Amino acid sequence: KNQVEQSPQSLIILEGKNCTLQCNYTVSPFSNLRWYKQDTGRGPVSLTIMTFSENTKSNGRYTATLDADTKQSSLHITASQLSDSASYICVVSQLYSSASKIIFGSGTRLSIRP
Amino acid sequence: DTEVTQTPKHLVMGMTNKKSLKCEQHMGHRAMYWYKQKAKKPPELMFVYSYEKLSINESVPSRFSPECPNSSLLNLHLHALQPEDSALYLCASSQGSGQGPDTQYFGPGTRLTVL
């Protein structure tokens, strides 16, 4: 069964600290993995996208890693800011899927405290 | 322009009303999507249009009726909704060419409340 699981479900950290969010998937055949940031009541915004051959991709203070062998990904946030408070969703696509379904994780709700 | 726009931002309707949600993109994308998202849950796919043709309908009740007038526009017609249909409705688009990673770009959503 194609699934995407994220952990932790929620996380609270102090402003300025780093954190790492995890994503495990069983989607096959794998095409790509994306991390989205979703503010409450808004649409998701893409942070990174990685294909099978990519191990690391950065977008400012966000760094995503991918281990296609173990089917794991992580999103590392450096020097967190209050504006980082949001849900972070891991999304995996199957190979050769153009206009077809993608599989969403349940998300990690991150809260940054001052 | 990497923006997907949705109107209205908020909508309150009664169970007997007929309303429509609108979505627009000018990125030349050929795939467009409707999602429903309840609070603290991931988006759930409702419909997919590929090259202006409905390619996926995730067994959505007929009170939701999608329409794709052209490659840039996507509508969702609503009729006789139930209170449990209250949710954030997200539109997304992607290249849909089948060539390489197909990132979906999401609109800001329409917050729908059914009374």
Side-chain angles (χ1 to χ4, degrees), chain A residues 45-104:
Chain A
V45 174
S46 179
L47 295 175
T48 63
I49 178 170
M50 289 183 291
T51 58
F52 184 86
S53 59
E54 296 175 296
N55 300 119
T56 302
K57 185 159 284 187
S58 292
N59 178 359
R61 294 180 295 102
Y62 301 102
T63 299
T65 65
L66 175 64
D67 186 333
D69 291 330
T70 61
K71 298 186 178 181
Q72 296 179 327
S73 176
S74 65
L75 180 70
H76 186 74
I77 303 175
T78 304
S80 60
Q81 300 176 358
L82 296 178
S83 59
D84 293 331
S85 294
S87 286
Y88 291 84
I89 306 174
C90 177
V91 177
V92 181
S93 294
Q94 289 178 290
L95 192 63
Y96 301 129
S97 64
S98 55
S100 61
K101 288 186 292 184
I102 57 177
I103 298 101
F104 286 83

Side-chain angles (χ1 to χ4, degrees), chain A residues 11 14 20 29 34 43 72 74:
Chain A
L11 181 63
L14 292 175
T20 300
R34 284 157 281 172
Q72 296 179 327
S74 65

Side-chain angles (χ1 to χ4, degrees), chain B residues 7-8 11 13 18-22 67 75-78:
Chain B
T7 55
L11 179 62
M13 60 186 290
K18 285 185 180 180
K19 297 286 184 183
S20 296
L21 309 184
K22 297 185 184 303
E67 178 196 17
N75 298 322
L76 186 62
H77 301 298
L78 314 173

Side-chain angles (χ1 to χ4, degrees), chain B residues 13-110:
Chain B
M13 60 186 290
M15 289 190 284
T16 58
N17 292 156
K18 285 185 180 180
K19 297 286 184 183
S20 296
L21 309 184
K22 297 185 184 303
C23 174
E24 190 167 1
Q25 57 88 13
H26 295 288
M27 295 178 276
H29 289 172
R30 303 319 299 262
M32 296 187 76
Y33 311 75
W34 279 116
Y35 289 88
K36 174 184 177 181
Q37 187 177 25
K38 301 287 267 185
K40 299 184 179 180
K41 298 287 186 183
E44 297 175 15
L45 183 67
M46 300 174 72
F47 303 103
V48 180
Y49 272 83
S50 177
Y51 290 84
E52 300 166 46
K53 289 187 177 2
L54 184 65
S55 61
I56 294 177
N57 176 342
E58 288 291 331
S59 302
V60 179
S62 59
R63 57 186 184 267
F64 295 91
S65 175
E67 178 196 17
C68 190
N70 59 57
S71 60
S72 299
L73 294 174
L74 185 65
N75 298 322
L76 186 62
H77 301 298
L78 314 173
H79 175 55
L81 295 193
Q82 304 296 312
E84 59 264 29
D85 296 322
S86 299
L88 181 68
Y89 287 83
L90 294 165
C91 173
S93 71
S94 67
Q95 285 189 332
S97 64
Q99 306 284 334
D102 200 35
T103 295
Q104 291 187 19
Y105 294 84
F106 285 85
T110 293

